[in-house]
Amino acid sequence: MAKERRTRREFLGLAGAGVASVATGANFDSVVFGQSNDVDKAPQAADLVVYNANIYTVDGNAPKVQAFAIRDGRFALVGSNENAKRMIGKGTQTLDAKRMTIVPGFIDCHNHAGGNILLYEVLVGNPFMVEFVTIASIIEKLRAKAQATPPGFWVDGYFFDDTKVKDDRQLNVHDLDQVSKDHPVVVHHRGGHTSFYNSKALELANISKDTPNPPGGTYDRDPTGELNGRITDRARTVFDKIGNRATFTEQQKEQRNRDGLAHISKQFTRFGLTSVHHEGGDLLALQQVRAGGELRHRVSYEVSGSLLEAMIANGIMTGFGDEWIKLGATSEHTVDGSFSERTMAISRPYLDITPPYKGNVTETQDDLNAWVERVHRAGIQVNCHANGDVAIDMVLTAYERAQKLYPLPDPRPKITHCTLINDDLLKRIKAVGAVPAAFTTYAYYNTDKFHFYGEDFMKRSMAYRSFLDAGIPAAAGSDFSPGPFAPLMGIQGMVTRTGWNGQTWGANQRISVDEALRVNTLNGAYASYEERIKGSIAVGKLADFVILAEDPHLVDQGKIKDIEIVRTVAGGTTVYEA
Ligand SMILES: [Zn+2]
């Protein structure tokens, strides 16, 4: 009886408050706060009430609920249909979810967010999903570009993936000579650590078959000793100084950067991402895109170069900014090569490569120690890229050293990728409080590359099971463009460890759907010190969520990646709708 009476009073209170706010034109909250001494006051009306849903909150206190109410961009109530509907007042929008599944907005902790490339460049592979292309199609696309480009200017191709080629052989210098002999031509592997050049580019860079490999990179050769056009990691820096590139006015550059960011923001939300850690990019353009109302996702902006120097010099620490654009960790400080392109630094030689090759270490321990110490002392969250066990060991050595010299209470240094682990590394990651942002979509997308490493390695790679069992809050780091960023593709891979080709690798590292949801949401929030404001559906947190057409717990696990994203909501506002 008492409950019923209260409900009626609440309802009347709601109507009154609604009228008051309209009448004064004041902010709704301030009107209600003015009456807050009345203990018996009505709960405030919500902006949006979502009910009749199948909600996985990723909140241990109430993991499964039916409904929630949102006010001022945050969850104001999370619970039953009945309770949520009590917050419907004048002006409240309502949404009957018709039993569809809702999860917190997904968080990607490592993304190169190259919107300009998606918009303006020649894409020789599919950025978002598994698709096989022919070498002929690559030549054809680049030839068309060359025909519209003055001789001597670079012709670039992006999103090449050497294991998504129908021809079943490596792209080489002869293929690219068919594009042009008058232009330097380069095809960039989507992994970002290897590129393929034509003869003109090699000639302009003065590289011959007799040129020795520089530290941290290689000029690859075919079996007869001739350059085959593939060049890895640091050996590519000579190409920065040769050939001509299209120039743009400052104004044009800014416009392109804005268009690129607005474009990729749309792409992120289309796949359910509401927060993304950006590896650098144009910070001004990012703020302009936000001001123009075209930023649909939240950004943890990871710094390097002059901005990092400015932060250190001026005492600006990680966390500066607001809930939409915030300065995060540093961008990945690279210590070794790539997993997908087989240049990461590992403790035993790669299979079937002569002379024996153990990958590229791209930084000395002393230089790494000095860099980590400097950033750590400045109160900026350190973030290093380390794939192989050798590189992870080096990074941990530097983190342990910095933390010993200048102990910080909660440093959470990031290890981007943190791919190949062992028991000793796991203990040290846990002890120093590091947060790995491991590959997400690779287990599905890159399964065609795992034979280069073998099952022994894959049992210890992208080791989400090992991380979680060791109490390490591993987060999701798609590494787009190297990997597609679709969180559902990532979740499917984490749960099944089975790739597009039906092969299963490292099944011991499988995690449950619930665990994979947490990795892609709450653990991502933890990685940027934002677990108090996002990453789960809980009262007081930012109202970031995704409506899925089907429940990933119930569909065939091989079809999780195909679940339709029905709606993506950030801060209570719909930012994508199917
Ligand atoms: Zn990266």
Side-chain angles (χ1 to χ4, degrees):
M1 275 306 269
K3 197 175 166 194
E4 196 182 300
R5 209 167 51 234
R6 210 181 136 221
T7 304
R8 200 159 43 235
R9 210 163 42 226
E10 276 169 356
F11 181 75
L12 292 171
L14 275 176
V19 169
S21 78
V22 171
T24 60
N27 175 295
F28 194 80
D29 245 7
S30 61
V31 171
V32 177
F33 276 131
Q35 312 166 342
S36 67
N37 283 340
D38 178 4
V39 261
D40 218 24
K41 82 175 171 62
Q44 301 144 23
D47 299 323
L48 172 67
V49 168
V50 178
Y51 62 95
N52 196 20
N54 173 39
I55 303 169
Y56 295 93
T57 63
V58 192
D59 175 9
N61 297 322
K64 198 83 194 293
V65 298
Q66 297 174 307
F68 51 69
I70 293 167
R71 197 178 46 241
D72 293 333
R74 291 179 183 257
F75 294 111
L77 178 143
V78 176
S80 65
N81 288 334
E82 194 191 10
N83 286 338
K85 283 181 181 174
R86 283 187 191 136
M87 295 193 66
I88 297 173
K90 201 174 175 197
T92 300
Q93 282 188 304
T94 60
L95 178 67
D96 177 355
K98 301 197 165 71
R99 299 294 304 142
M100 280 191 291
T101 294
I102 298 182
V103 297
F106 295 122
I107 300 177
D108 185 350
C109 295
H110 185 66
N111 197 304
H112 293 270
N116 299 34
I117 289 173
L118 292 179
L119 258 191
Y120 296 116
E121 301 290 349
V122 177
L123 309 182
V124 300
N126 188 323
F128 304 115
M129 45 203 78
V130 174
E131 182 187 333
F132 276 66
V133 302
T134 60
I135 288 175
S137 77
I138 296 171
I139 294 169
E140 195 184 324
K141 282 183 179 175
L142 292 174
R143 223 183 243 157
K145 173 79 176 181
Q147 277 161 10
T149 304
F153 279 70
W154 279 99
V155 172
D156 293 78
Y158 290 87
F159 282 97
F160 174 69
D161 185 336
D162 68 306
T163 58
K164 305 288 184 301
V165 178
K166 284 182 187 163
D167 307 62
D168 207 23
R169 65 166 177 85
Q170 284 271 355
L171 183 69
N172 63 44
V173 63
H174 309 295
D175 298 317
L176 299 181
D177 283 345
Q178 290 181 52
V179 172
S180 172
K181 295 201 161 150
D182 306 319
H183 302 80
V185 177
V186 56
V187 168
H188 305 278
H189 197 290
R190 69 179 298 163
H193 291 251
T194 59
S195 304
F196 300 75
Y197 297 87
N198 72 343
S199 297
K200 183 73 181 177
L202 297 171
E203 177 198 314
L204 290 172
N206 255 325
I207 295 163
S208 74
K209 63 177 177 177
D210 301 319
T211 309
N213 289 334
T218 58
Y219 304 117
D220 289 4
R221 290 152 176 90
D222 67 20
T224 67
E226 297 293 329
L227 292 171
N228 65 14
R230 181 178 186 262
I231 299 185
T232 69
D233 283 308
R234 292 246 168 138
R236 298 173 303 164
T237 49
V238 291
F239 295 96
D240 296 344
K241 294 168 216 120
I242 59 144
N244 298 315
R245 295 199 168 275
T247 50
F248 300 99
T249 65
E250 281 308 309
Q251 236 175 352
Q252 285 170 324
K253 273 188 222 159
E254 285 170 16
Q255 187 61 50
R256 284 165 67 95
N257 288 346
R258 284 195 294 271
D259 291 348
L261 284 163
H263 178 72
I264 205 154
S265 190
K266 263 190 210 169
Q267 302 300 320
F268 287 154
T269 52
R270 181 160 79 90
F271 288 92
L273 287 164
T274 53
S275 290
V276 177
H277 295 200
H278 284 226
E279 290 302 295
D282 185 338
L283 186 56
L284 176 65
L286 201 52
Q287 294 169 88
Q288 289 169 335
V289 168
R290 177 192 181 177
E294 290 186 288
L295 186 67
R296 295 154 190 258
H297 69 284
R298 303 179 194 277
V299 177
S300 178
Y301 183 90
E302 300 196 329
V303 298
S304 61
S306 58
L307 181 53
L308 177 59
E309 290 308 317
M311 285 175 70
I312 294 173
N314 296 288
I316 300 171
M317 292 158 76
T318 293
F320 201 84
D322 65 14
E323 290 151 358
W324 283 96
I325 302 175
K326 193 177 283 194
L327 297 179
T330 66
S331 63
E332 59 179 332
H333 185 81
T334 304
V335 179
D336 72 341
S338 136
F339 176 89
S340 66
E341 296 149 286
R342 288 87 71 195
T343 64
M344 72 185 200
I346 55 180
S347 51
R348 61 120 169 99
Y350 279 78
L351 309 172
D352 309 322
I353 293 185
T354 40
Y357 172 66
K358 292 179 164 186
N360 301 338
V361 171
T362 58
E363 174 97 319
T364 66
Q365 186 73 58
D366 284 348
D367 287 352
L368 178 62
N369 288 349
W371 183 83
V372 168
E373 180 188 328
R374 189 157 169 265
V375 173
H376 176 87
R377 280 184 76 174
I380 297 166
Q381 190 183 7
V382 183
N383 177 16
C384 289
H385 156 126
N387 268 305
D389 51 353
V390 170
I392 298 169
D393 168 73
M394 288 175 67
V395 164
L396 288 169
T397 299
Y399 290 174
E400 289 157 355
R401 178 182 171 277
Q403 181 63 0
K404 203 171 165 196
L405 288 173
Y406 305 98
L408 295 178
D410 188 13
R412 304 189 196 181
K414 270 175 91 172
I415 306 178
T416 289
H417 313 319
C418 200
T419 305
L420 179 67
I421 52 90
N422 57 44
D423 289 346
D424 174 57
L425 295 176
L426 277 175
K427 278 191 206 119
R428 292 168 64 197
I429 292 166
K430 172 73 180 162
V432 80
V435 182
F439 292 119
T440 56
T441 54
Y442 274 26
Y444 175 81
Y445 178 87
N446 266 336
T447 185
D448 43 24
K449 297 182 177 75
F450 296 171
H451 67 93
F452 293 115
Y453 294 99
E455 176 67 2
D456 273 3
F457 263 33
M458 294 318 300
K459 280 184 169 159
R460 300 191 279 123
S461 291
M462 298 150 215
Y464 282 106
R465 178 79 275 146
S466 300
F467 290 137
L468 298 184
D469 287 350
I472 296 163
S478 74
D479 200 25
F480 185 78
S481 57
F485 53 69
L488 289 175
M489 184 193 285
I491 289 171
Q492 176 172 320
M494 291 172 200
V495 170
T496 64
R497 295 285 290 200
T498 299
W500 63 267
N501 57 5
Q503 291 180 7
T504 300
W505 293 86
N508 60 309
Q509 292 296 345
R510 282 176 182 149
I511 58 176
S512 70
V513 171
D514 280 331
E515 287 168 329
L517 278 176
R518 174 175 292 257
V519 163
N520 283 274
T521 56
L522 193 55
N523 289 5
Y526 180 84
S528 59
Y529 293 92
E530 292 175 291
E531 73 275 16
R532 283 188 200 87
I533 60 164
K534 65 187 184 190
S536 61
I537 294 174
V539 171
K541 284 197 174 183
L542 297 167
D544 300 351
F545 62 93
V546 186
I547 305 182
L548 305 173
E550 286 171 286
D551 185 341
H553 297 80
L554 302 180
V555 297
D556 174 347
Q557 291 189 335
K559 297 215 159 67
I560 292 174
K561 71 173 174 46
D562 303 321
I563 296 174
E564 188 192 6
I565 307 282
V566 176
R567 190 191 286 238
T568 304
V569 178
T573 301
T574 296
V575 288
Y576 167 77
E577 202 168 358

